Amino acid sequence: MCLAIPARIEQLIAEDSAIINLGGMRKEVSLALVENIAVGDYVIVHAGYALQKLDQEEAAHTLAMFAEMSTMNELHGDEA
C-alpha cells in the first residue's frame, strides 16, 4: 500500500525541485511531475516526488483526517 501525504511548498530551489514542509519536517522533493507550483501551494508527495497539486481546503481536510487517525491510534493502540 502507498501513502501520499499533503505538504506545503516552502521554497523553490530549482526549476524542478522544492523544499516542502511536512508536519514540521522539511524535505527536498522533485516537481518534475507537476506544473505551475508556487510557494504556499500544497502538493501530494510520495517517494520524493510531488504527484499532484491540491487546493488549500482539500489539503487542510486531508491533514485533519491524518491527525484524527493518529489521535485514535494513540488512544486505542493495538487493540484491533
Side-chain angles (χ1 to χ4, degrees):
M1 174 165 62
C2 296
L3 179 63
I5 301 171
R8 185 177 177 275
I9 301 290
E10 285 197 341
Q11 179 183 1
L12 299 174
I13 56 174
E15 184 176 319
D16 64 349
S17 297
I19 300 294
I20 56 148
N21 186 321
L22 186 60
M25 181 181 70
R26 297 183 75 211
K27 176 179 170 112
E28 182 177 342
V29 298
S30 172
L31 300 177
L33 303 174
V34 293
E35 296 178 344
N36 302 320
I37 300 298
V39 172
D41 287 345
Y42 281 86
V43 291
I44 292 288
V45 175
H46 176 70
Y49 287 85
L51 301 177
Q52 176 182 343
K53 185 176 175 178
L54 292 176
D55 67 41
Q56 191 169 1
E57 184 178 322
E58 184 176 356
H61 177 72
T62 302
L63 291 169
M65 287 186 348
F66 277 122
E68 183 178 341
M69 289 187 317
S70 178
T71 299
M72 290 176 64
N73 189 43
E74 290 173 8
L75 291 174
H76 300 291
D78 293 328
E79 292 178 5

